[in-house]
């Protein structure tokens, strides 16, 4: 019998030195005490955890990292970017500038609060860390103009909004962060439904582990992500993993740049590493998809992270995750010197170009008056091909998941289609809280695909002829639009604050006020940007760009 290999240990994810720029939040609630054997202990009061969490959730709702903003600006400066790429990037930069005012959050889906902490062995708390962190989430979401998205299950079938955005996902690990026993470090994230729903797990085999097979696999799967999670994306791919759930968690961390300092090669210790060469190949692959920053072009992704993990010989999980244009995360730390939070960019205006919008976009913009009868609106839209950029002004009806389900029940019971869906285009959206003095809170589009199952039924009943949302639709929607003369218009996913400030002039509840943000609303918009994605002739912009055709070789 062969002798066993010598014991060796390496953490699965050995991150390098922390190069984050921090700002001091407070030095209260933190103290140093001396213990047996000359050891020094850091004591952290619950109030310090609460204050840090509340500040972090505020910052990631309103501010972005400088590197992310620089990537948006680089799209505008890239002569190879499409006009639609540049238009989306400019709108996202404008949105960041408005959100940085601290009133309107950058996205209406202010997300599930996710907090991961690593508490060193010489950090002492009262043991209620998760509760103190949750209190900070509660403070941020109840005091700021954020949206409550968490649903509590009361029975298997009945659920109700908690009205606080709790519960949060809080995970605390007993680990000396960066080798410091008297430090407590955190990753704060706000994960909206759009990007969270684009996390995928594939259970593959050893057969995937060759360059040609891998690239064909990735081209097929990455195209299926689509645009409903608001690209350009920070894309993360994890190959391998000691378990399926570990692969998925690693992909989430990688999409947040949390694992950027991993080693770039493997060893017999079995630790994870980044494959920089494959990252570059996959990024170039996405450049050739044609999907671009939502409406055609090169910028489906800002960047790519590929992490290789060890695996059981019988398993080869592959996890894919994205961070969207609301790239909301920040790291933090509590040390003997105080409570510190990552310094995000508070002056995004410095990334805005001096050129005008007209210089950035050479395509014709068609202005559509939504005050006209629905037949006239459809006749106007029918004159133009898919990808045509529009500017919408007039009334829209707003309805999404729960409202659609209720209206479908009415149709099934023999009731007529509500007149408001006959007369007006429908915008799939759900607003954040409205600040004082504003017509609306942040009010960006919802993922369109969630309403796909209702389209044929609604159009057959004389409603939902013109739909407005983000992302691609299923083939059944294209068929329904061709049969009934409908249109699906794509709105830019991401600039919810800009839409609220610049485009939405009036908001009122039409029906189901008890549903809160899920109610049916009527809004007045002015110069609301959109693109024709599906027309009444059976054309779908996304149909071609989602077909796998390998466009790049492999190593």
């Amino acid at each position: 019998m062969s002798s066993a290999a010598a014991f060796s240990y390496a953490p699965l994810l050995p991150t390098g030195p922390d190069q984050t720029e921090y700002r001091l939040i407070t030095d209260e609630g933190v103290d140093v005490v001396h213990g047996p054997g000359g050891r020094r202990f850091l004591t952290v009061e619950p109030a310090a955890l609460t204050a840090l969490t509340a500040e972090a959730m505020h910052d990631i709702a309103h501010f972005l990292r400088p590197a992310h903003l620089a990537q948006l600006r680089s799209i505008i400066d890239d002569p190879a970017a499409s006009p639609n790429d540049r238009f989306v990037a400019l709108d996202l930069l404008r949105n960041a500038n408005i959100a940085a005012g601290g009133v309107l959050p950058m996205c209406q889906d202010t997300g599930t609060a996710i907090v991961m902490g690593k508490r060193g062995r010489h950090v002492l708390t009262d043991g209620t860390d998760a509760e103190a962190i949750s209190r900070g989430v509660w403070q941020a979401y109840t005091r700021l103009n954020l949206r409550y998205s968490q649903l509590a299950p009361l029975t298997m079938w009945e659920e109700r909004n908690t009205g606080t955005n709790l519960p949060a996902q809080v995970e605390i690990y007993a680990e000396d962060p960066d080798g410091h026993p008297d430090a407590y470090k955190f990753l704060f994230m706000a994960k909206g439904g759009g990007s969270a729903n684009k996390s995928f797990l594939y259970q593959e085999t050893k057969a995937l582990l060759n360059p040609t097979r891998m690239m064909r696999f990735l081209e097929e799967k990455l195209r299926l992500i689509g645009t409903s999670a608001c690209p350009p994306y920070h894309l993360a791919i994890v190959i391998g993993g000691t378990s399926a759930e570990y692969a998925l968690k690693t992909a989430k961390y990688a999409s947040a740049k949390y694992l950027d300092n991993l080693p770039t090669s493997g060893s017999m210790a079995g630790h994870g590493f980044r494959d920089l060469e494959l990252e570059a190949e996959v990024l170039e692959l996405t450049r050739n998809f044609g999907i671009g920053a939502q409406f055609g072009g090169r910028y489906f992704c800002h960047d790519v992270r590929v992490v290789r993990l060890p695996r059981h010989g019988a398993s080869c999980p592959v996890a894919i995750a994205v961070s969207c244009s609301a790239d909301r995360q920040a790291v933090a730390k509590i040390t003997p010197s105080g409570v510190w939070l990552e310094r995000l960019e508070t002056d995004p205006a410095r990334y805005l170009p001096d050129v005008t919008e007209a210089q950035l976009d050479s395509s014709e913009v068609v202005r559509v008056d939504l005050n006209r009868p629905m037949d006239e609106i459809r006749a106007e839209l029918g004159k133009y091909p898919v990808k045509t950029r529009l500017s919408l002004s007039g009334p829209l009806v707003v309805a999404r998941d729960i409202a659609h389900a209720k209206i479908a029940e009415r149709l099934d019971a023999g009731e007529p289609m509500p007149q408001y869906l006959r007369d007006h285009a429908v915008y799939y959206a759900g607003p954040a809280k409205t600040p004082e003095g504003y017509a609306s809170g942040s009010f960006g589009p919802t993922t369109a695909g969630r309403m796909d199952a209702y389209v044929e039924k609604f159009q057959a009943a004389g409603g939902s002829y013109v739909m407005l949302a983000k992302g691609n639709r299923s083939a059944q929607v294209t068929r329904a639009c061709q049969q009934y003369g409908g249109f699906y218009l794509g709105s830019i996913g991401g600039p919810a604050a800009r839409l609220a400030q610049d485009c939405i002039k009036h908001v009122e509840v039409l029906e189901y006020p008890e549903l809160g943000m899920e109610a049916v609303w009527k809004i007045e918009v002015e110069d609301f940007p959109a693109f024709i994605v599906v027309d009444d002739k059976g054309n779908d912009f996304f149909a071609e760009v989602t077909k796998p055709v390998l466009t790049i070789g492999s190593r």
Side-chain angles (χ1 to χ4, degrees), residues 369-389:
D369 181 3
L370 299 175
N371 290 290
R372 292 178 294 173
M374 179 52 64
D375 286 346
E376 292 186 18
I377 294 171
R378 289 195 288 165
E380 177 69 12
L381 294 174
K383 299 175 182 177
Y384 304 99
V386 294
K387 282 181 63 176
T388 298
R389 184 176 150 207

Side-chain angles (χ1 to χ4, degrees), residues 310-328:
R311 68 183 184 91
H312 185 285
S315 304
C316 186
V318 178
I320 296 173
V322 297
S323 184
C324 66
S325 58
D327 189 40
R328 294 174 294 192

